[in-house]
Protein backbone atom coordinates (compact mmCIF):
# COMPACT_ATOMS: atom_id res chain seq x y z
CA UNK A 1 0.00 0.00 0.00
CA UNK A 2 2.73 2.48 1.07
CA UNK A 3 4.68 1.53 -2.01
CA UNK A 4 1.68 2.27 -4.25
CA UNK A 5 1.13 5.67 -2.64
CA UNK A 6 4.83 6.44 -3.06
CA UNK A 7 4.74 5.53 -6.78
CA UNK A 8 1.63 7.63 -7.40
CA UNK A 9 3.20 10.57 -5.57
CA UNK A 10 6.47 10.23 -7.45
CA UNK A 11 4.63 10.04 -10.79
CA UNK A 12 2.66 13.21 -10.08
CA UNK A 13 5.78 15.08 -8.93
CA UNK A 14 7.60 14.02 -12.10
CA UNK A 15 4.64 15.05 -14.25
CA UNK A 16 4.32 18.48 -12.65
CA UNK A 17 8.08 18.91 -12.99
CA UNK A 18 7.79 18.12 -16.68
CA UNK A 19 4.83 20.50 -17.04
CA UNK A 20 6.79 23.43 -15.69
CA UNK A 21 10.14 22.48 -17.23
CA UNK A 22 9.27 23.93 -20.61
CA UNK A 23 11.85 25.57 -22.81
CA UNK A 24 11.80 29.38 -22.75
CA UNK A 25 15.29 29.84 -24.12
CA UNK A 26 15.38 30.82 -27.80
CA UNK A 27 18.94 29.49 -28.15
CA UNK A 28 17.77 26.04 -27.04
CA UNK A 29 15.06 25.61 -29.67
CA UNK A 30 16.18 22.58 -31.71
CA UNK A 31 16.02 22.86 -35.49
CA UNK A 32 12.90 21.49 -37.15
CA UNK A 33 11.50 21.05 -40.64
CA UNK A 34 7.93 22.06 -41.36
CA UNK A 35 5.76 20.08 -43.76
CA UNK A 36 5.35 22.02 -47.00
CA UNK A 37 1.82 23.40 -47.17
CA UNK A 38 2.11 23.43 -50.95
CA UNK A 39 3.18 19.84 -51.47
CA UNK A 40 0.55 17.12 -51.43
CA UNK A 41 1.10 13.85 -49.61
CA UNK A 42 1.98 12.15 -52.88
CA UNK A 43 4.62 14.83 -53.51
CA UNK A 44 2.68 16.89 -56.02
CA UNK A 45 3.58 20.59 -56.06
CA UNK A 46 0.52 22.78 -55.64
CA UNK A 47 0.85 25.89 -57.76
CA UNK A 48 -2.67 27.22 -58.31
CA UNK A 49 -5.98 27.77 -56.57
CA UNK A 50 -7.66 24.93 -58.43
CA UNK A 51 -5.17 22.31 -57.18
CA UNK A 52 -5.15 23.89 -53.74
CA UNK A 53 -8.95 23.72 -53.44
CA UNK A 54 -9.45 20.34 -55.09
CA UNK A 55 -6.38 18.44 -53.79
CA UNK A 56 -4.34 19.93 -51.01
CA UNK A 57 -6.93 21.86 -48.99
CA UNK A 58 -9.27 18.83 -48.54
CA UNK A 59 -6.24 16.68 -47.77
CA UNK A 60 -5.05 19.04 -45.01
CA UNK A 61 -8.55 19.34 -43.55
CA UNK A 62 -8.76 15.55 -43.36
CA UNK A 63 -5.31 15.39 -41.73
CA UNK A 64 -6.39 17.81 -39.00
CA UNK A 65 -9.60 15.84 -38.45
CA UNK A 66 -7.79 12.52 -38.26
CA UNK A 67 -4.83 13.57 -36.15
CA UNK A 68 -5.77 16.62 -34.10
CA UNK A 69 -9.30 17.97 -33.67
CA UNK A 70 -11.31 14.90 -34.65
CA UNK A 71 -14.14 14.48 -37.13
CA UNK A 72 -16.49 17.43 -37.60
CA UNK A 73 -20.00 15.92 -38.04
CA UNK A 74 -21.97 17.78 -40.69
CA UNK A 75 -25.45 16.26 -40.32
CA UNK A 76 -28.12 16.59 -37.66
CA UNK A 77 -31.87 15.91 -37.63
CA UNK A 78 -33.13 19.44 -37.01
CA UNK A 79 -32.52 22.77 -35.40
CA UNK A 80 -34.65 25.49 -33.93
CA UNK A 81 -34.12 29.13 -33.03
CA UNK A 82 -36.11 30.74 -30.22
CA UNK A 83 -35.93 34.34 -28.99
CA UNK A 84 -35.98 34.21 -25.19
CA UNK A 85 -35.68 37.89 -24.52
CA UNK A 86 -35.45 41.05 -26.56
CA UNK A 87 -34.78 44.70 -25.81
CA UNK A 88 -34.83 47.17 -28.67
CA UNK A 89 -33.44 49.93 -26.49
CA UNK A 90 -30.53 48.37 -24.71
CA UNK A 91 -27.20 50.19 -24.21
CA UNK A 92 -29.16 53.46 -23.89
CA UNK A 93 -30.87 52.87 -27.18
CA UNK A 94 -27.68 52.16 -29.09
CA UNK A 95 -28.37 48.47 -29.53
CA UNK A 96 -31.11 45.96 -30.06
CA UNK A 97 -30.54 42.98 -27.76
CA UNK A 98 -31.68 39.51 -28.68
CA UNK A 99 -31.18 36.52 -26.39
CA UNK A 100 -31.71 33.28 -28.21
CA UNK A 101 -31.76 29.56 -27.72
CA UNK A 102 -30.33 27.64 -30.62
CA UNK A 103 -31.41 24.04 -30.17
CA UNK A 104 -30.08 21.24 -32.32
CA UNK A 105 -31.30 17.64 -32.27
CA UNK A 106 -29.81 14.38 -33.45
CA UNK A 107 -29.86 10.80 -32.20
CA UNK A 108 -32.98 11.70 -30.13
CA UNK A 109 -30.93 14.12 -28.11
CA UNK A 110 -31.04 17.92 -28.05
CA UNK A 111 -28.38 20.45 -27.20
CA UNK A 112 -29.23 24.08 -26.45
CA UNK A 113 -26.71 26.80 -27.17
CA UNK A 114 -27.56 30.22 -25.77
CA UNK A 115 -26.68 33.22 -27.88
CA UNK A 116 -26.41 36.85 -26.80
CA UNK A 117 -26.61 39.25 -29.74
CA UNK A 118 -26.53 43.05 -29.85
CA UNK A 119 -27.27 44.76 -33.16
CA UNK A 120 -26.39 48.45 -33.54
CA UNK A 121 -29.55 50.52 -33.94
CA UNK A 122 -27.98 53.41 -35.83
CA UNK A 123 -25.67 51.50 -38.18
CA UNK A 124 -26.57 50.14 -41.56
CA UNK A 125 -28.27 46.73 -41.52
CA UNK A 126 -27.72 43.91 -42.01
CA UNK A 127 -24.65 44.46 -39.84
CA UNK A 128 -21.24 42.85 -40.00
CA UNK A 129 -20.92 40.85 -36.78
CA UNK A 130 -18.25 39.78 -34.33
CA UNK A 131 -19.07 36.39 -32.78
CA UNK A 132 -17.09 35.37 -29.69
CA UNK A 133 -16.57 31.78 -28.56
CA UNK A 134 -16.58 32.58 -24.85
CA UNK A 135 -14.31 30.33 -22.80
CA UNK A 136 -14.34 32.53 -19.68
CA UNK A 137 -17.09 33.46 -17.22
CA UNK A 138 -20.57 34.06 -18.63
CA UNK A 139 -20.51 37.43 -16.86
CA UNK A 140 -18.14 38.64 -19.61
CA UNK A 141 -20.98 38.46 -22.11
CA UNK A 142 -23.71 39.77 -19.87
CA UNK A 143 -26.89 40.76 -21.77
CA UNK A 144 -27.78 43.25 -19.02
CA UNK A 145 -24.31 44.85 -19.23
CA UNK A 146 -23.92 44.72 -15.49
CA UNK A 147 -20.35 43.62 -16.20
CA UNK A 148 -18.28 45.40 -18.82
CA UNK A 149 -14.99 43.72 -19.62
CA UNK A 150 -12.34 43.98 -22.31
CA UNK A 151 -12.86 40.31 -23.02
CA UNK A 152 -16.07 41.13 -24.91
CA UNK A 153 -16.35 44.91 -25.06
CA UNK A 154 -19.80 44.97 -26.62
CA UNK A 155 -20.23 48.77 -26.33
CA UNK A 156 -16.94 49.38 -28.15
CA UNK A 157 -17.95 47.02 -30.97
CA UNK A 158 -21.44 48.53 -31.24
CA UNK A 159 -19.95 52.06 -31.35
CA UNK A 160 -17.80 50.91 -34.27
CA UNK A 161 -21.00 49.96 -36.13
CA UNK A 162 -20.78 46.17 -35.80
CA UNK A 163 -23.17 43.73 -34.23
CA UNK A 164 -21.61 41.68 -31.47
CA UNK A 165 -22.56 38.18 -30.33
CA UNK A 166 -21.30 35.45 -28.04
CA UNK A 167 -22.01 31.92 -26.91
CA UNK A 168 -20.43 30.03 -24.03
CA UNK A 169 -18.29 26.93 -24.64
CA UNK A 170 -19.92 25.04 -21.77
CA UNK A 171 -23.25 25.01 -23.62
CA UNK A 172 -21.56 23.00 -26.39
CA UNK A 173 -19.15 20.90 -24.30
CA UNK A 174 -18.34 21.61 -20.65
CA UNK A 175 -14.65 22.43 -20.39
CA UNK A 176 -13.95 19.63 -17.99
CA UNK A 177 -12.40 16.23 -18.62
CA UNK A 178 -15.11 14.40 -16.67
CA UNK A 179 -18.04 16.24 -18.16
CA UNK A 180 -17.22 17.33 -21.73
CA UNK A 181 -19.45 14.58 -23.17
CA UNK A 182 -22.51 16.30 -21.76
CA UNK A 183 -23.33 18.59 -24.68
CA UNK A 184 -22.94 18.28 -28.45
CA UNK A 185 -21.33 14.86 -28.02
CA UNK A 186 -24.67 13.43 -26.83
CA UNK A 187 -25.80 14.03 -30.41
CA UNK A 188 -22.85 12.11 -31.81
CA UNK A 189 -22.07 9.25 -29.37
CA UNK A 190 -20.07 7.43 -32.06
CA UNK A 191 -17.44 10.15 -31.80
CA UNK A 192 -16.61 9.04 -28.26
CA UNK A 193 -15.67 5.57 -29.42
CA UNK A 194 -13.44 6.64 -32.30
CA UNK A 195 -9.73 7.47 -32.05
CA UNK A 196 -10.43 10.29 -34.47
CA UNK A 197 -13.60 11.39 -32.69
CA UNK A 198 -14.05 15.06 -31.86
CA UNK A 199 -13.96 16.23 -28.26
CA UNK A 200 -14.50 19.60 -26.59
CA UNK A 201 -12.66 21.88 -29.02
CA UNK A 202 -14.32 20.16 -31.98
CA UNK A 203 -17.71 20.61 -30.27
CA UNK A 204 -17.11 24.32 -29.69
CA UNK A 205 -16.21 24.79 -33.35
CA UNK A 206 -19.30 22.82 -34.38
CA UNK A 207 -21.44 25.11 -32.20
CA UNK A 208 -19.99 28.21 -33.90
CA UNK A 209 -21.28 26.82 -37.20
CA UNK A 210 -24.74 26.30 -35.74
CA UNK A 211 -24.76 29.97 -34.71
CA UNK A 212 -23.83 30.79 -38.28
CA UNK A 213 -26.89 28.75 -39.43
CA UNK A 214 -28.95 31.12 -37.29
CA UNK A 215 -27.21 34.25 -38.59
CA UNK A 216 -28.17 33.21 -42.10
CA UNK A 217 -31.81 33.55 -41.00
CA UNK A 218 -31.56 36.82 -39.05
CA UNK A 219 -32.17 39.82 -41.29
CA UNK A 220 -30.27 42.14 -38.93
CA UNK A 221 -27.05 40.18 -39.36
CA UNK A 222 -24.94 40.14 -42.49
CA UNK A 223 -24.00 36.46 -42.52
CA UNK A 224 -21.43 37.14 -45.24
CA UNK A 225 -19.53 39.37 -42.81
CA UNK A 226 -19.10 37.37 -39.63
CA UNK A 227 -15.81 37.65 -37.78
CA UNK A 228 -15.34 34.58 -35.61
CA UNK A 229 -13.30 35.47 -32.53
CA UNK A 230 -11.72 33.38 -29.80
CA UNK A 231 -9.14 33.70 -27.07
CA UNK A 232 -6.66 30.99 -26.12
CA UNK A 233 -8.56 27.66 -26.09
CA UNK A 234 -11.42 29.60 -27.71
CA UNK A 235 -8.88 30.84 -30.30
CA UNK A 236 -7.91 27.25 -31.10
CA UNK A 237 -11.62 26.62 -31.73
CA UNK A 238 -12.09 29.80 -33.80
CA UNK A 239 -9.29 28.71 -36.15
CA UNK A 240 -10.65 25.19 -36.48
CA UNK A 241 -14.21 26.45 -37.09
CA UNK A 242 -13.12 29.00 -39.69
CA UNK A 243 -10.95 26.38 -41.40
CA UNK A 244 -13.94 24.01 -41.63
CA UNK A 245 -16.68 26.48 -42.34
CA UNK A 246 -15.92 28.92 -45.13
CA UNK A 247 -19.03 30.95 -44.31
CA UNK A 248 -16.97 32.76 -41.65
CA UNK A 249 -15.60 35.81 -43.43
CA UNK A 250 -12.73 36.47 -41.03
CA UNK A 251 -11.11 34.79 -38.04
CA UNK A 252 -9.55 36.27 -34.91
CA UNK A 253 -7.33 33.97 -32.87
CA UNK A 254 -6.08 35.73 -29.76
CA UNK A 255 -3.17 34.22 -27.78
CA UNK A 256 -4.16 30.78 -29.11
CA UNK A 257 -0.73 29.17 -28.61
CA UNK A 258 -0.17 25.44 -28.81
CA UNK A 259 -2.55 23.66 -31.22
CA UNK A 260 -3.87 27.10 -32.06
CA UNK A 261 -1.75 29.37 -34.25
CA UNK A 262 1.68 28.44 -32.79
CA UNK A 263 3.94 25.91 -34.52
CA UNK A 264 3.94 22.58 -32.69
CA UNK A 265 7.39 21.56 -33.90
CA UNK A 266 9.07 24.61 -32.37
CA UNK A 267 10.03 23.56 -28.89
CA UNK A 268 9.18 26.69 -26.94
CA UNK A 269 6.52 27.01 -24.25
CA UNK A 270 3.64 24.56 -24.20
CA UNK A 271 4.12 21.24 -25.99
CA UNK A 272 1.72 18.69 -27.49
CA UNK A 273 2.40 16.30 -24.60
CA UNK A 274 1.67 18.94 -22.00
CA UNK A 275 -1.57 20.06 -23.63
CA UNK A 276 -2.77 16.49 -24.12
CA UNK A 277 -1.95 15.63 -20.52
CA UNK A 278 -3.51 18.69 -18.92
CA UNK A 279 -6.52 18.80 -21.23
CA UNK A 280 -7.19 15.20 -22.32
CA UNK A 281 -10.73 16.23 -23.30
CA UNK A 282 -9.84 18.80 -25.96
CA UNK A 283 -8.49 16.86 -28.94
CA UNK A 284 -9.00 13.50 -30.65
CA UNK A 285 -7.29 10.54 -28.98
CA UNK A 286 -5.09 10.15 -32.06
CA UNK A 287 -3.36 13.41 -31.17
CA UNK A 288 -1.77 11.74 -28.14
CA UNK A 289 0.39 9.70 -30.53
CA UNK A 290 2.34 12.89 -31.12
CA UNK A 291 3.25 13.51 -27.49
CA UNK A 292 7.01 14.17 -27.55
CA UNK A 293 6.82 13.22 -31.21
CA UNK A 294 5.75 16.42 -33.00
CA UNK A 295 8.05 15.76 -35.96
CA UNK A 296 5.86 12.76 -36.87
CA UNK A 297 2.82 15.00 -37.38
CA UNK A 298 1.82 15.09 -41.07
CA UNK A 299 0.94 18.77 -40.52
CA UNK A 300 1.76 21.79 -38.43
CA UNK A 301 -0.30 24.76 -37.35
CA UNK A 302 0.71 27.04 -40.26
CA UNK A 303 -1.40 24.68 -42.33
CA UNK A 304 -4.43 25.39 -40.17
CA UNK A 305 -4.07 29.15 -40.75
CA UNK A 306 -3.59 28.42 -44.46
CA UNK A 307 -6.95 26.65 -44.64
CA UNK A 308 -8.65 29.99 -43.98
CA UNK A 309 -7.11 31.65 -47.06
CA UNK A 310 -8.00 33.90 -48.78
CA UNK A 311 -10.15 35.12 -45.87
CA UNK A 312 -8.41 37.33 -43.29
CA UNK A 313 -6.97 36.01 -40.06
CA UNK A 314 -5.98 38.24 -37.15
CA UNK A 315 -3.46 36.58 -34.84
CA UNK A 316 -2.18 37.96 -31.53
CA UNK A 317 0.19 37.32 -28.68
CA UNK A 318 1.01 39.03 -25.40
CA UNK A 319 4.54 39.87 -24.33
CA UNK A 320 4.35 38.06 -21.00
CA UNK A 321 2.64 35.01 -22.49
CA UNK A 322 5.68 32.98 -23.53
CA UNK A 323 3.70 29.79 -22.89
CA UNK A 324 1.91 30.54 -26.19
CA UNK A 325 5.22 31.04 -28.08
CA UNK A 326 4.85 34.43 -29.80
CA UNK A 327 7.77 33.83 -32.20
CA UNK A 328 6.43 30.42 -33.20
CA UNK A 329 3.01 31.96 -33.70
CA UNK A 330 4.32 34.71 -35.95
CA UNK A 331 6.39 32.21 -37.97
CA UNK A 332 3.29 30.10 -38.50
CA UNK A 333 1.24 33.03 -39.85
CA UNK A 334 4.15 34.07 -42.04
CA UNK A 335 4.30 30.55 -43.56
CA UNK A 336 0.61 30.74 -44.40
CA UNK A 337 1.35 33.63 -46.77
CA UNK A 338 2.20 31.08 -49.48
CA UNK A 339 -1.42 30.05 -49.79
CA UNK A 340 -2.69 33.64 -49.86
CA UNK A 341 -0.24 34.26 -52.70
CA UNK A 342 -1.93 31.51 -54.72
CA UNK A 343 -5.06 33.65 -54.53
CA UNK A 344 -3.05 36.76 -55.44
CA UNK A 345 -3.93 38.26 -52.10
CA UNK A 346 -0.84 40.06 -50.98
CA UNK A 347 0.21 39.88 -47.36
CA UNK A 348 2.23 42.79 -46.06
CA UNK A 349 3.46 41.10 -42.88
CA UNK A 350 7.02 42.08 -41.98
CA UNK A 351 9.79 39.47 -42.15
CA UNK A 352 10.02 39.00 -38.43
CA UNK A 353 7.79 39.52 -35.43
CA UNK A 354 6.74 43.19 -35.00
CA UNK A 355 7.76 45.12 -31.90
CA UNK A 356 5.46 45.07 -28.86
CA UNK A 357 2.36 47.29 -29.31
CA UNK A 358 3.07 47.84 -33.03
CA UNK A 359 0.03 46.17 -34.60
CA UNK A 360 0.09 45.19 -38.23
CA UNK A 361 -3.60 45.47 -39.07
CA UNK A 362 -3.73 45.29 -42.83
CA UNK A 363 -5.62 42.21 -44.09
CA UNK A 364 -5.39 39.43 -45.08
CA UNK A 365 -2.87 38.46 -42.36
CA UNK A 366 -2.88 40.77 -39.35
CA UNK A 367 -0.77 40.38 -36.24
CA UNK A 368 0.18 42.09 -33.03
CA UNK A 369 1.97 41.36 -29.81
CA UNK A 370 0.51 43.40 -26.97
CA UNK A 371 2.38 44.35 -23.87
CA UNK A 372 1.13 42.39 -20.90
CA UNK A 373 -0.50 39.15 -19.93
CA UNK A 374 -2.39 36.29 -21.52
CA UNK A 375 -5.76 37.99 -22.02
CA UNK A 376 -8.03 39.70 -24.53
CA UNK A 377 -8.49 43.42 -23.94
CA UNK A 378 -10.09 46.64 -25.22
CA UNK A 379 -6.78 47.32 -26.97
CA UNK A 380 -6.87 43.98 -28.80
CA UNK A 381 -10.46 44.52 -29.95
CA UNK A 382 -9.63 48.01 -31.22
CA UNK A 383 -7.11 46.41 -33.57
CA UNK A 384 -9.51 43.66 -34.74
CA UNK A 385 -12.02 46.38 -35.61
CA UNK A 386 -9.40 48.23 -37.70
CA UNK A 387 -8.70 45.10 -39.74
CA UNK A 388 -12.40 44.38 -40.21
CA UNK A 389 -12.95 48.03 -41.26
CA UNK A 390 -10.20 47.73 -43.86
CA UNK A 391 -11.43 44.38 -45.13
CA UNK A 392 -15.09 45.32 -45.34
CA UNK A 393 -14.24 48.79 -46.65
CA UNK A 394 -15.85 50.60 -43.78
CA UNK A 395 -13.18 53.09 -42.74
C1 LIG B 1 -3.69 27.01 -20.77
C2 LIG B 1 -3.38 26.11 -21.92
C3 LIG B 1 -3.26 26.94 -23.16
C4 LIG B 1 -4.44 27.88 -23.31
C5 LIG B 1 -4.91 28.49 -22.00
C6 LIG B 1 -6.26 29.20 -22.03
O1 LIG B 1 -3.65 26.44 -19.55
O2 LIG B 1 -2.19 25.42 -21.64
O3 LIG B 1 -3.09 26.13 -24.29
O4 LIG B 1 -5.47 27.23 -23.93
O5 LIG B 1 -4.97 27.55 -21.00
O6 LIG B 1 -7.20 28.72 -22.69
O7 LIG B 1 -6.38 30.23 -21.38
Amino acid sequence: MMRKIFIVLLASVLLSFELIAQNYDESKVPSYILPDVLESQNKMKIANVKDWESIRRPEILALFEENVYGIMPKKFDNSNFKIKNENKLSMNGKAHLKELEISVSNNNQTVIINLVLFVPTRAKKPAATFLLINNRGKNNTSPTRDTISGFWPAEQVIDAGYAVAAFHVNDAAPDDKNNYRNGVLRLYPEQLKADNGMKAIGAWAWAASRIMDYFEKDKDVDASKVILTGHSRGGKASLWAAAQDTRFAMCVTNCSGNTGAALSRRRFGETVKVINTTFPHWFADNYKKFNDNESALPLDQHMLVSLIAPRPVYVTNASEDLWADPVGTFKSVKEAEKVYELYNVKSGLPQSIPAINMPFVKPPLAYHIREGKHDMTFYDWAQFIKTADLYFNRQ
Side-chain angles (χ1 to χ4, degrees), residues 177-243:
K177 66 175 190 292
N178 299 314
N179 208 15
Y180 71 96
R181 299 171 190 84
N182 189 20
V184 175
L185 281 156
R186 284 189 288 107
L187 277 53
Y188 302 104
E190 72 288 352
Q191 297 289 319
L192 292 169
K193 293 194 208 100
D195 292 339
N196 63 357
M198 75 169 177
K199 293 196 182 181
I201 291 205
W204 304 343
W206 181 94
S209 288
R210 300 295 72 78
I211 307 282
M212 176 54 103
D213 299 342
Y214 165 72
F215 284 160
E216 290 185 323
K217 303 251 157 70
D218 185 329
K219 288 197 287 303
D220 291 337
V221 171
D222 187 343
S224 71
K225 293 184 180 150
V226 175
I227 305 127
L228 184 61
T229 304
H231 164 71
S232 204
R233 61 199 75 186
K236 304 179 207 292
S238 70
L239 279 173
W240 178 230

Side-chain angles (χ1 to χ4, degrees), residues 135-136 231-234 236 255-258 270 274-275 278-279 282 323 374:
N135 58 295
R136 288 205 176 160
H231 164 71
S232 204
R233 61 199 75 186
K236 304 179 207 292
C255 297
S256 58
N258 191 279
E270 189 170 26
V274 168
I275 206 166
T278 327
F279 304 103
W282 281 0
W323 185 242
H374 181 71

Side-chain angles (χ1 to χ4, degrees), residues 260-281:
L263 293 174
S264 299
R265 279 174 175 73
R266 226 183 82 92
R267 233 173 221 270
F268 193 101
E270 189 170 26
T271 63
V272 169
K273 179 175 180 181
V274 168
I275 206 166
N276 275 329
T277 310
T278 327
F279 304 103
H281 61 293

